[in-house]
Amino acid sequence: MKFNFDATNKAVIDEYRQVGVAGNPEDRVWVDVRGDTLQGLVDDTRVEDHWKNNFKDFGRNKAYSHTFDINYTAPLKYIPAVDWVTVKAKYNGGYRWTASSLDFVGLDGVHMGDIIENSQERTLNATFGFDKLYKKSKFLKEVERKRKRKKKVDKDEKKKRGDISKAPEPKKETKTDKDRKVPKKKGSSVVAKLLVRPLLSLRSVKFNYRESLGTIVPGIDTSLVPNLMGLSQGFDAPGFGFVSGWQPDLSLNNENNWLRQAESKGWISSSKFLNNQVSQKRTQTYDMKVEIEPYRDLKLTIDFKKQFTKDLFETFKDLDPSDTSEDFQQITRREIGSFEITYFGLNTFFNNDVVGMYTEFLGKRAEVSQMLNPTGGAHPEDGSLYREGFGAVHSNVVLPAFISTYTGRALDESWVRRDAGQETTAGLIYEVSRNSFLPKPNWTLRYNGLKSLPFFEDILSQFTLTHTYKGTMRINQFRTNLDFTTQNYNATNPVSGNYYSRFEVPTVQISEQFSPLLGIQMKTKKDLVFNIDYKKSRALDLSTDLLGKLTEKRSTGMTVGLGWTKQDVNIGFLTGDKKAKKKRQKKDGEEGDEEDAEEDKKDTKKKNNRGGLGRGNVNNNRPRDLTFNFDFSFQDDITHEHEYVQGLVDAQGTRGQRSVSFNPSVDYNINENLTLRLFFDYQSSKPVNTASGTTKTTRYYGGLTARFNLQ
């Protein structure tokens, strides 16, 4: 465990000073730090005694702050039974006190107080390495062991090593060798590995949690100046928990919350002109990654992520108009926040019936309305299908209907019920804000074992198959509806006939993508490369404002790449080497290597002595490779914009296009300094909706490029 603490205090030395204008400078008026005129005789002794006394008291505090952190690592590595688990925790705390100006006084003559704030950050990291746990068993460790393959050596390689020219002499056995017993190495059978290895699929679990919190309270009485560790004289205000970073309770209508207790102890200024707001923030972030590996070359990674932010603002002040009593109240309370979570909507992802799903969404609004107010009468504006207070465009009606239709989630009372309490107790925002909320999984599947199979090991040098799903739900901002009041849950909007909702949620976004749905990256041992990516995505955007739009964008794309490299290709009219190098096959008893070597030296000398174009400075060490590439891509995008307030459906699509492109090319490395490229590019796109005047476009061009590398 490690503990760090750091504190800073800022103070000033107050002095008397003279102000104003007088015939004799010595006759100017003496004032104190507040600007109040000093009474009586002011001589040098009085002025000097004042600043000296201030100096002895270490001045007048202007600001104080401290931070500390505690780091703890669980000593699990010293316990053999759980040394495969790692747990780390960290706590950061902070406190700050800031003095207001001495003349920060309201019209009632009461000082409006100083400001205190604290912060807290809690972090937890845990790793469960199940692969280390399995190795504690000798049998499972043997199952996990990778089988070594004997490296195949072809005849040419053996010939280079001299393995064929002369067979090794058999080792002579001795009596000692015959009598010695060599124990057979025991290992798990192939069948055992095939049956047991999938049971060890769970390889690791990683969990990271982080929560940041902070509170700001204005109006703290000026007498509560920090004395030690941020606490006032007597170690009372604002409490050890507050200076430690612990967050105070600010719940409504709770006589025992922190603000009420502070007011009863006289910590809060009674100025009726105090309008600075109390604020409290909270950000929660956590993610979890699970790795599953049924077999060594097949790996599945599952991700869970959540980020939730909420800021609270309110005013806490004395509302009693008289000067003889006090009536502190928490008023103008507002909450603003956002969240993003991993989500799952595959139940409807492949449903291409755009009109049918939108019609289902319209119909489910009535079902949600009846669940929110089952005993209510008919809605005055939208008819008998909708219950009183919850019409067709109410955000608490539209949002559940949207999620249920486009993700396949069933409508039930566990998440569809009326939010009627002092604090939020229902709805999507309440559900996500809870610590027990578990986001939906995203995943990545990867397989690269094909090259290890006996039939393919002599053909493939690289092979990877990938499949990835990513889904998120995002609300960029939710905020308290200022017309909503806990004193009257049935307060009605006179325009729409709906009850005011607790939160306003302008937009909700759901994004899903297979990136890729199927991806293959392959390379053969003869330098043939083949890549393919097939992707699909869907983005849903629900707007709950007066326009009431539901936007759905679908995208399908495929990219195919094919390439092949021919090594050491000599094109004489480009390289200048018109005479090809002789290739001779050495026969048994034939000599000629020395002659070939001598001839190569002469050719090299001639090339180096050539003039013109600076050829003598060109480096020909780079292989002269000839590379063929062919890329093909297809993209189909379409966007539908439905207006549910007006009941309008967009069946054809308002935006989008279908595009096709292919790009063949040939690259040739003449030397290290020069590369030629012959290419052709074709692109064609056709809009989905031609009503806007956009027409089909086709573009194609080609050419020859040369790339010089100047060194």
Side-chain angles (χ1 to χ4, degrees):
M1 178 183 289
K2 295 182 180 180
F3 177 80
N4 299 310
F5 180 85
D6 180 57
T8 302
N9 190 80
K10 180 181 178 182
V12 295
I13 306 298
D14 293 332
E15 296 182 87
Y16 294 147
R17 67 186 190 278
Q18 287 181 291
V19 297
V21 179
N24 185 357
E26 300 296 333
D27 296 335
R28 290 184 301 165
V29 179
W30 285 90
V31 296
D32 60 13
V33 68
R34 292 182 174 85
D36 298 334
T37 302
L38 297 179
Q39 303 298 325
L41 177 64
V42 181
D43 54 11
D44 293 342
T45 302
R46 182 178 178 183
V47 172
E48 185 178 352
D49 290 343
H50 178 72
W51 74 260
K52 283 184 176 181
N53 292 332
N54 270 269
F55 184 79
K56 291 178 182 179
D57 294 335
F58 298 101
R60 176 171 56 86
N61 277 0
K62 291 285 289 181
Y64 170 84
S65 64
H66 69 235
T67 59
F68 67 93
D69 61 80
I70 302 173
N71 297 273
Y72 176 73
T73 301
L76 302 179
K77 63 180 180 180
Y78 302 108
I79 307 175
V82 290
D83 60 357
W84 51 280
V85 181
T86 302
V87 178
K88 296 181 179 180
K90 184 177 181 180
Y91 180 91
N92 287 6
Y95 171 74
R96 179 186 296 273
W97 170 88
T98 305
S100 300
S101 173
L102 293 176
D103 57 359
F104 187 51
V105 179
L107 297 178
D108 53 3
V110 179
H111 196 282
M112 289 183 282
D114 302 327
I115 300 174
I116 61 172
E117 57 184 292
N118 72 354
S119 62
Q120 175 190 149
E121 184 174 294
R122 297 175 288 190
T123 305
L124 177 66
N125 307 104
T127 302
F128 300 86
F130 290 95
D131 52 346
K132 296 181 181 179
L133 174 63
Y134 304 146
K135 292 180 181 179
K136 293 183 178 295
S137 168
K138 292 183 178 180
F139 173 72
L140 297 181
K141 185 177 181 180
E142 186 64 31
V143 171
E144 292 251 273
R145 180 177 297 171
K146 187 177 182 180
R147 186 177 61 179
K148 295 183 179 180
R149 292 179 175 272
K150 293 184 179 180
K151 186 177 180 181
K152 293 185 178 181
V153 183
D154 55 14
K155 291 184 178 181
D156 294 336
E157 187 68 21
K158 288 182 178 180
K159 192 173 182 180
K160 291 180 181 179
R161 297 179 182 178
D163 296 340
I164 297 179
S165 59
K166 186 177 181 180
E169 296 182 0
K171 183 180 178 182
K172 295 181 180 180
E173 290 185 350
T174 62
K175 186 175 182 181
T176 306
D177 295 328
K178 287 183 179 181
D179 296 339
R180 184 183 297 122
K181 293 183 180 181
V182 180
K184 294 183 179 180
K185 187 177 181 179
K186 295 183 179 181
S188 58
S189 64
V190 176
V191 177
K193 288 188 175 184
L194 291 175
L195 296 178
V196 177
R197 185 60 174 79
L199 301 178
L200 312 179
S201 297
L202 184 59
R203 311 303 294 173
S204 68
V205 177
K206 298 179 180 179
F207 178 78
N208 300 306
Y209 179 86
R210 180 180 178 182
E211 191 171 19
S212 301
L213 307 102
T215 301
I216 300 177
V217 181
I220 298 299
D221 192 88
T222 56
S223 63
L224 304 176
V225 179
N227 183 44
L228 185 64
M229 297 289 290
L231 296 171
S232 64
Q233 191 75 28
F235 301 99
D236 188 16
F240 182 77
F242 196 96
V243 299
S244 300
W246 206 254
Q247 297 305 293
D249 177 18
L250 303 182
S251 56
L252 278 175
N253 300 325
N254 181 3
E255 294 299 326
N256 294 320
N257 69 21
W258 189 90
L259 291 175
R260 292 291 182 181
Q261 292 182 5
E263 175 266 323
S264 64
K265 296 177 182 179
W267 296 353
I268 307 296
S269 170
S270 60
S271 174
K272 294 177 172 54
F273 294 89
L274 175 62
N275 292 316
N276 291 345
Q277 289 190 316
V278 177
S279 65
Q280 191 172 68
K281 64 178 182 179
R282 176 197 175 202
T283 300
Q284 183 189 59
T285 304
Y286 67 76
D287 63 86
M288 184 170 64
K289 179 177 291 187
V290 180
E291 293 185 356
I292 298 175
E293 191 178 274
Y295 296 101
R296 188 174 298 275
D297 297 319
L298 180 62
K299 186 175 182 180
L300 175 64
T301 303
I302 304 176
D303 294 305
F304 305 83
K305 294 182 180 180
K306 169 189 171 181
Q307 182 173 2
F308 181 87
T309 300
K310 186 173 72 171
D311 296 336
L312 168 67
F313 303 91
E314 68 177 10
T315 301
F316 184 69
K317 62 182 295 186
D318 180 13
L319 297 180
D320 195 304
S322 66
D323 296 331
T324 58
S325 61
E326 297 178 352
D327 180 21
F328 281 87
Q329 297 291 334
Q330 295 172 255
I331 59 175
T332 63
R333 188 181 181 95
R334 295 181 300 121
E335 291 179 319
I336 301 175
S338 63
F339 71 78
E340 181 175 346
I341 57 175
T342 54
Y343 210 68
F344 182 85
L346 286 186
N347 295 327
T348 62
F349 183 87
F350 294 99
N351 187 348
N352 295 321
D353 186 5
V354 176
V355 177
M357 292 185 65
Y358 175 67
T359 304
E360 181 183 351
F361 159 70
L362 296 179
K364 282 192 174 182
R365 293 182 301 170
E367 183 179 351
V368 174
S369 176
Q370 295 168 15
M371 295 177 65
L372 293 174
N373 192 6
T375 60
H379 193 276
E381 301 292 336
D382 298 326
S384 59
L385 290 178
Y386 296 91
R387 293 293 182 261
E388 181 182 3
F390 296 97
V393 297
H394 196 292
S395 61
N396 290 355
V397 172
V398 174
L399 186 55
F402 166 71
I403 294 176
S404 176
T405 302
Y406 287 93
T407 66
R409 184 176 182 180
L411 294 171
D412 55 58
E413 293 184 355
S414 65
W415 66 291
V416 181
R417 63 179 186 274
R418 189 176 182 184
D419 187 5
Q422 295 293 332
E423 305 286 345
T424 178
T425 57
L428 179 65
I429 295 173
Y430 167 74
E431 182 182 42
V432 176
S433 67
R434 293 180 301 168
N435 292 330
S436 60
F437 174 80
L438 182 65
K440 301 299 187 292
N442 289 177
W443 63 81
T444 297
L445 179 66
R446 186 180 299 272
Y447 174 70
N448 57 4
L450 190 64
K451 68 180 186 301
S452 303
L453 299 179
F455 181 77
F456 294 100
E457 63 181 355
D458 294 332
I459 301 174
L460 300 176
S461 62
Q462 178 183 346
F463 180 88
T464 304
L465 186 148
T466 56
H467 165 79
T468 301
Y469 171 77
K470 295 180 181 179
T472 59
M473 174 185 284
R474 180 187 301 110
I475 290 182
N476 292 323
Q477 186 187 80
F478 63 85
R479 56 181 179 265
T480 300
N481 189 339
L482 296 180
D483 293 317
F484 176 83
T485 172
T486 57
Q487 282 74 32
N488 183 11
Y489 300 111
N490 295 334
T492 305
N493 186 329
V495 178
S496 63
N498 293 325
Y499 297 150
Y500 291 112
S501 60
R502 184 185 297 270
F503 294 109
E504 294 178 347
V505 184
T507 58
V508 181
Q509 298 172 337
I510 297 178
S511 174
E512 299 173 280
Q513 56 179 326
F514 284 101
S515 182
L517 181 62
L518 177 65
I520 298 175
Q521 295 81 38
M522 182 181 70
K523 183 179 181 181
T524 68
K525 293 188 175 181
K526 293 186 177 181
D527 294 327
L528 177 66
V529 178
F530 175 74
N531 297 323
I532 182 171
D533 274 337
Y534 180 64
K535 302 179 180 180
K536 288 184 72 70
S537 65
R538 180 179 69 168
L540 300 166
D541 194 333
L542 177 70
S543 174
T544 62
D545 56 14
L546 295 177
L547 297 178
K549 284 188 177 183
L550 195 164
T551 303
E552 179 179 1
K553 179 181 179 181
R554 291 177 176 263
S555 179
T556 302
M558 182 174 64
T559 302
V560 180
L562 183 65
W564 179 64
T565 300
K566 176 66 176 175
Q567 298 180 350
D568 296 330
V569 177
N570 180 33
I571 303 178
F573 73 92
L574 293 176
T575 63
D577 297 338
K578 296 183 179 180
K579 183 177 180 181
K581 185 183 291 187
K582 295 181 180 180
K583 297 181 180 180
R584 297 186 178 181
Q585 302 252 344
K586 185 176 178 182
K587 298 180 181 179
D588 294 337
E590 182 181 358
E591 296 182 358
D593 289 345
E594 295 181 0
E595 296 178 2
D596 290 342
E598 187 66 27
E599 186 175 350
D600 290 341
K601 290 181 180 179
K602 293 180 180 180
D603 291 342
T604 304
K605 187 175 182 180
K606 288 180 181 180
K607 293 176 185 177
N608 293 335
N609 291 332
R610 285 179 185 170
L613 299 178
R615 184 178 294 275
N617 295 325
V618 175
N619 191 341
N620 290 322
N621 294 329
R622 184 178 182 180
R624 291 167 176 162
D625 294 343
L626 186 65
T627 303
F628 300 88
N629 288 308
F630 181 84
D631 296 324
F632 170 82
S633 65
F634 169 79
Q635 189 72 28
D636 184 6
D637 300 328
I638 185 170
T639 300
H640 302 271
E641 291 187 353
H642 313 293
E643 298 182 12
Y644 63 86
V645 173
Q646 305 296 330
L648 301 179
V649 58
D650 179 14
Q652 183 180 359
T654 56
R655 299 191 305 271
Q657 65 178 8
R658 297 180 180 89
S659 59
V660 177
S661 68
F662 60 87
N663 317 97
S665 65
V666 180
D667 293 78
Y668 181 57
N669 300 326
I670 297 178
N671 50 54
E672 279 196 357
N673 305 92
L674 179 61
T675 300
L676 296 181
R677 183 172 186 266
L678 181 66
F679 68 95
F680 177 78
D681 289 346
Y682 173 88
Q683 297 178 0
S684 177
S685 60
K686 181 181 179 181
V688 172
N689 191 342
T690 58
S692 60
T694 308
T695 59
K696 178 180 179 181
T697 60
T698 301
R699 184 179 65 171
Y700 53 88
Y701 56 94
L704 177 67
T705 63
R707 184 172 66 249
F708 294 91
N709 183 18
L710 302 178
Q711 295 181 346

